């Protein structure tokens, strides 16, 4: 009996010593002795972003998959021990974006399954672009993933941080400013021409082609303007401005004129890489110009008329002298 009592006491002492050693080597009550690693990855369906994101078109969503995996020598035992107790928690955030982009992710915390194989949870990344984003230049949004520590007395999954990139392609935004500093009305005499200056500025996000088309030309009037110009993009450091001149020649027949007509010009911007492509062509703008032609016209023989008048005057003077 005494021998058995001594054995029990010895076992208790050994147990206490063992527990003391374990506690002494533990960093804290929440830190496990056996540590496994958490691993993260971000995936998304690139085909869902084949269509360009239109600037000023509102936020564009894309579904992202946050993958989570536990690795290490005792990963299997760690998962078996911790599963069902504390779920993995992965915090999501968007790293700093360019000034022409806004992005956020929701929800900002996801909880994949605790497993030694990849498990995943989904979130939605939203992005929107301002008008000054360079067209068709890939913009990368970086997502930060932080897996919290999963603590335990014996087993523990360590925290980890990883990053994933999602690439968006901004669309083309056709915006031009049209100004006529010399006005839209001119009064001239027959045989003269009216010249109008048209100032253009590219406010879009790529080099832009501007096409001009004169609509419904009045009979016997001759308006003329170049058919196309190319404007640089200010967002790319190019010169976005130019001036185009339209010249209008009114009718020039014999007699008194009091002609007045309005000339309409259609101005259409489009992406310089695909001019005329409807998918990258902006809405046409219509500018109107009014010309008033007033006065007497003797087309084609003004010089002969002057000579005839001089000869007639000379004959009259000569005849008058003979009579005297």
């Amino acid at each position: 009996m005494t021998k058995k009592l001594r054995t029990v006491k010895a076992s208790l002492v050994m147990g206490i010593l063992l527990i003391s050693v374990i506690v002494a080597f533990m960093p804290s009550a929440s830190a496990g002795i056996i540590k496994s690693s958490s691993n993260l990855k971000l995936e998304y369906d690139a085909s869902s972003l084949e269509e360009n994101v239109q600037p000023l078109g509102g936020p564009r969503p894309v579904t992202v998959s946050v993958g989570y995996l536990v690795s290490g020598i005792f990963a299997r035992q760690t998962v078996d021990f911790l599963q069902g107790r504390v779920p993995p928690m992965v915090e999501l955030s968007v790293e700093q974006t360019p000034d022409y982009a806004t992005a956020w992710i929701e929800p900002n915390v996801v909880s994949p399954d605790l497993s030694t194989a990849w498990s995943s949870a989904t979130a939605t990344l939203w992005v929107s672009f301002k008008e000054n984003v360079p067209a068709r230049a890939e913009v990368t949004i970086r997502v930060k993933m932080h897996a919290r520590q999963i603590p335990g007395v014996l087993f523990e999954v360590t925290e980890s941080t990883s990053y994933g990139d999602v690439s968006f392609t901004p669309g083309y935004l056709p915006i031009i400013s049209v100004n006529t500093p010399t006005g839209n009305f001119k009064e001239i005499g027959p045989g003269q021409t009216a010249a109008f200056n048209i100032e253009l500025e590219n406010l879009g996000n790529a080099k832009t082609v501007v096409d001009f088309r004169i609509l419904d030309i009045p009979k016997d009037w001759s308006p003329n303007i170049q058919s196309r110009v190319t404007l640089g993009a200010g967002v790319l450091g190019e010169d976005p401005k130019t001036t185009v001149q339209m010249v209008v020649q009114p009718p020039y027949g014999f007699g008194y004129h009091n002609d007045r007509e309005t000339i309409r010009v259609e101005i259409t911007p489009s992406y310089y890489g695909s001019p005329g492509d409807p998918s990258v062509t902006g809405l046409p703008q219509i500018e109107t110009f009014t010309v008033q032609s007033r006065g007497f016209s003797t087309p084609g023989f003004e010089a002969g008329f002057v000579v005839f008048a001089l000869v007639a005057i000379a004959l009259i003077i000569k005849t008058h002298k003979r009579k005297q």
Side-chain angles (χ1 to χ4, degrees), residues 157-193:
V157 180
T158 59
E159 67 176 348
S160 66
T161 300
S162 187
Y163 297 86
D165 294 333
V166 181
S167 296
F168 296 85
T169 302
Y172 167 64
L173 189 65
I175 302 178
I176 58 170
S177 170
V178 180
N179 183 40
T180 52
T182 57
N184 292 59
F185 173 81
K186 288 191 181 295
E187 182 173 349
I188 58 175
Q192 296 178 333
T193 57

Side-chain angles (χ1 to χ4, degrees), residues 199-212:
E199 293 181 349
L200 303 172
E201 181 177 4
N202 178 18
L203 304 178
N205 59 344
K207 187 180 292 186
T208 295
V209 168
V210 181
D211 291 314
F212 300 89

Side-chain angles (χ1 to χ4, degrees), residues 49-254:
L49 294 176
E50 288 180 352
E51 183 181 348
N52 295 342
V53 181
Q54 195 65 16
L56 303 181
R60 171 73 174 276
V62 59
T63 300
V64 296
S65 175
V66 180
Y68 183 90
L69 175 147
V70 179
S71 64
I73 298 176
F74 297 99
R76 179 73 268 167
Q77 292 81 353
T78 300
V79 168
D80 291 341
F81 183 81
L82 296 175
Q83 204 162 38
R85 300 186 183 187
V86 182
M89 304 295 286
V90 181
E91 300 169 346
L92 305 175
S93 61
V94 174
E95 294 290 274
Q96 186 174 0
T97 60
D99 61 354
Y100 49 69
T102 302
W104 69 95
I105 192 166
E106 56 185 24
N108 58 359
V109 176
V110 295
S111 182
D113 293 334
L114 187 66
S115 175
T116 55
W118 283 107
S119 63
S120 63
T122 59
T124 302
L125 175 64
W126 297 84
V127 66
S128 62
F129 293 129
K130 299 178 183 178
E131 70 278 3
N132 62 332
V133 59
R136 301 194 172 185
E138 190 176 89
V139 176
T140 299
I141 303 299
R142 172 155 286 192
V143 177
K144 179 182 179 180
M145 300 170 286
H146 176 74
R148 298 176 186 172
Q149 175 197 32
I150 303 178
V153 175
L154 183 60
F155 296 97
E156 173 189 315
V157 180
T158 59
E159 67 176 348
S160 66
T161 300
S162 187
Y163 297 86
D165 294 333
V166 181
S167 296
F168 296 85
T169 302
Y172 167 64
L173 189 65
I175 302 178
I176 58 170
S177 170
V178 180
N179 183 40
T180 52
T182 57
N184 292 59
F185 173 81
K186 288 191 181 295
E187 182 173 349
I188 58 175
Q192 296 178 333
T193 57
F196 298 92
N197 291 327
I198 304 174
E199 293 181 349
L200 303 172
E201 181 177 4
N202 178 18
L203 304 178
N205 59 344
K207 187 180 292 186
T208 295
V209 168
V210 181
D211 291 314
F212 300 89
R213 186 166 69 97
I214 299 174
L215 307 175
D216 306 323
I217 300 176
K219 184 180 179 181
D220 298 328
W221 287 69
S222 300
N224 185 47
I225 191 172
Q226 64 189 97
S227 61
R228 173 175 290 180
V229 295
T230 300
L231 301 177
V235 299
L236 301 177
E238 302 168 342
D239 184 4
K241 297 180 180 181
T242 192
T243 299
V244 175
Q245 191 173 77
M246 186 181 73
V247 178
V248 180
Q249 172 71 61
Y252 186 49
F254 177 75

